[in-house]
Amino acid sequence: MDRRQFIMAAAGAIGAAAFPIPALAALPKAKITRIRYFRTPTDAAGRPNVHQPTFNQSTHIVQIETDAGITGLGEGGAPDVMEQLAGQLIGEDPFRTERLWQTMHRAYFYPAGREKTHALGALDMALWDIKAKALGVPLYQLLGGKSRNHIECYATGFSIPGQPGASNKDRARACMEAGFHTYRIHDPAAGPVFDRFEQVPRMANLCREAREGCGRDGGWAIDFHGEFDQNDAIALANMIEPLRPYFVEDLVRSDNLDTYKLIREKVNVPIAVGEVLGNKWDWAHLIEGDLIDYGRVTIPNVGGVTEYMKIAAMCETHHIGMIPHFTGPIATATLVHCNAALSVPALMEMSAAGRRGWPYLKSYYDFDKGRMLINDRPGHGCEADFTKLEMMAEYKERYAPIPVRERTDGSYTNW
């Protein structure tokens, strides 16, 4: 051994002693054997779950079982689209998450639309839960590890206990005192009639009250909810610009995203869009056109963890932050792990001031004083109490009516 070889060998021995390399965890051989689908007693807003009045906030729970004894939980979708997707997974390797995502999205004649993407997202969520549990690690470790210590939250529908008639200003102040990063308001008007001449100045006044309640440096935001026409949305955004909103959400309907080209030219407030959008092809136009400042990207709407992280990577290249729309408790817990691994600005939505519990879950997200805490339980950290759920369907037979085609290297391609 010459001098150079000796020095390199010695350095390697010292490095190995100082920084021992842990044994690599191995994923077990596993196949998906059964998928069960459950109705929850409430929806994401805590209402009785009769018809899932806001479909894109479905709290139906899916459980994927494997012959390795490891199960995973997901949340979302509807029974008709879940049936088509679940049948394609029976007998498959649960750890091939990207391959399974592509199969579920593309295997039928029509690629998954937004409703099916929601169910796809529930299954993808459960697959990532299985993989992290198999390795005995929290989900964020598979996504890059912690990039932040917690996730700040903004409050939607914040109320003061025992003061149902509290003013908007007082609620904003109490929201800040409760530890929230930002107080969000939306249209509180009752009744079906929308009067644009009355609504614009009324909302501008509510924004002034929010700024006063939050203080000079407190965060506040407003959701236009897509109810304004383009000219009124622009007028209101410009009226409230001096109040420095954290973001203004869904200025107009999201049917024609090109509208935001004109809006971007005419307003200077930070724009947040996307709670009704689906996978990355929905998002590409807004991101690549630099038409937004924050993406309301959420799970399972976009297709689960697999797709959320891809959209987040697109956002990072355009300096766009992530402000996920509120969703069910299992999806919310999963979002915590996703956002924990991201370096872009992130702010999560909390409804009912974080006071609502989920009796059908033994564990879910960890929330305290306006912040989402990052738990270290294996997977996304959620556990269901199945005695409090109603099973709607069970899938044990493979159902894949469309031929699966592969390239010469084995990667998926359309038939």
Side-chain angles (χ1 to χ4, degrees):
M1 180 183 294
D2 62 25
R3 183 172 180 272
R4 177 182 174 85
Q5 290 174 322
F6 174 80
I7 293 173
M8 292 182 67
I14 293 171
F19 306 102
I21 300 173
L24 294 176
L27 289 169
K29 296 287 186 181
K31 296 293 182 184
I32 297 170
T33 56
R34 182 171 69 160
I35 296 174
R36 296 192 296 167
Y37 199 37
F38 300 87
R39 183 192 302 275
T40 55
T42 64
D43 70 357
R47 298 166 293 202
N49 185 10
V50 180
H51 300 296
Q52 289 282 350
T54 48
F55 178 89
N56 65 336
Q57 293 162 24
S58 162
T59 52
H60 297 326
I61 290 177
V62 62
Q63 182 189 47
I64 299 179
E65 300 176 4
T66 68
D67 60 3
I70 307 169
T71 64
L73 289 181
E75 181 180 60
D80 55 345
V81 288
M82 182 61 70
E83 179 182 12
Q84 293 182 4
L85 296 171
Q88 297 174 36
L89 298 184
I90 301 300
E92 294 288 339
D93 180 347
F95 305 125
R96 299 185 69 182
T97 45
E98 173 66 24
R99 170 60 178 255
L100 296 179
W101 194 96
Q102 295 293 334
T103 300
M104 288 187 286
H105 178 72
R106 299 160 65 182
Y108 279 81
F109 183 80
Y110 292 113
R114 292 178 187 173
E115 289 83 1
K116 186 178 283 189
T117 297
H118 201 271
L120 191 167
L123 290 162
D124 182 83
M125 200 185 311
L127 291 171
W128 279 95
D129 189 34
I130 289 173
K131 185 182 291 188
K133 286 177 179 175
L135 294 172
V137 298
L139 177 56
Y140 68 78
Q141 292 287 19
L142 303 187
L143 306 176
K146 285 184 184 178
S147 188
R148 48 173 49 92
N149 299 322
H150 61 268
I151 294 96
E152 302 284 358
C153 293
Y154 71 91
T156 291
F158 189 91
S159 60
I160 303 175
Q163 300 183 45
S167 69
N168 189 44
K169 179 179 177 180
D170 288 341
R171 284 186 286 120
R173 182 184 298 111
C175 182
M176 296 294 102
E177 292 171 351
F180 281 94
H181 187 282
T182 299
Y183 171 75
R184 191 188 77 159
I185 61 174
H186 58 89
D187 176 18
V193 177
F194 176 81
D195 184 341
R196 57 184 287 238
F197 297 106
E198 183 272 339
Q199 190 74 343
V200 170
R202 190 174 69 84
M203 292 300 290
N205 186 58
L206 287 173
C207 291
R208 283 189 285 271
E209 293 176 357
R211 167 49 69 206
E212 291 173 6
C214 290
R216 187 187 68 176
D217 298 320
W220 72 276
I222 180 172
D223 183 2
F224 284 14
H225 234 274
E227 66 183 0
F228 291 102
D229 291 327
Q230 182 175 280
N231 56 338
D232 288 324
I234 292 171
L236 179 55
N238 288 332
M239 290 171 69
I240 64 176
E241 180 189 345
L243 302 174
R244 296 179 295 111
Y246 191 111
F247 61 87
V248 176
E249 179 185 344
D250 286 344
L251 284 82
V252 295
R253 292 168 55 187
S254 296
D255 302 329
N256 178 13
L257 298 178
D258 276 338
T259 303
Y260 280 96
K261 291 181 180 179
L262 176 64
I263 291 175
R264 192 63 148 171
E265 294 175 357
K266 293 182 175 293
V267 306
N268 293 315
V269 294
I271 296 173
V273 175
E275 67 182 56
V276 301
L277 300 185
N279 59 45
K280 57 183 167 286
W281 290 281
D282 272 355
W283 285 95
H285 189 67
L286 289 171
I287 295 170
E288 293 170 4
D290 292 309
L291 303 181
I292 59 174
D293 300 284
Y294 299 102
R296 300 280 283 137
V297 189
T298 199
I299 295 174
N301 298 35
V302 301
V305 175
T306 298
E307 196 74 343
Y308 185 90
M309 299 306 287
K310 291 179 181 179
I311 295 170
M314 294 166 61
C315 286
E316 182 179 6
T317 65
H318 289 259
H319 310 290
I320 293 170
M322 305 293 275
I323 303 184
H325 177 57
F326 92 93
T327 183
I330 297 176
T332 296
T334 304
L335 281 167
V336 172
H337 286 270
C338 292
N339 290 321
L342 298 176
S343 59
V344 300
L347 187 69
M348 288 186 62
E349 182 173 11
M350 176 55 68
S351 61
R355 304 186 188 103
R356 180 184 297 119
W358 305 97
Y360 58 87
L361 294 178
K362 297 178 182 179
S363 60
Y364 44 98
Y365 53 80
D366 297 306
F367 173 81
D368 182 57
K369 297 178 181 177
R371 304 184 302 175
M372 285 290 187
L373 307 181
I374 304 167
N375 75 72
D376 286 319
R377 299 186 293 274
H380 49 48
C382 299
E383 183 181 0
D385 181 351
F386 292 101
T387 66
K388 297 179 180 179
L389 300 172
E390 172 195 348
M391 191 169 77
M392 298 186 291
E394 180 181 65
Y395 314 102
K396 295 188 291 185
E397 301 296 327
R398 181 167 178 79
Y399 180 66
I402 303 300
V404 173
R405 300 293 296 276
E406 296 179 344
R407 301 183 182 93
T408 56
D409 61 3
S411 57
Y412 188 93
T413 187
N414 285 22
W415 63 282

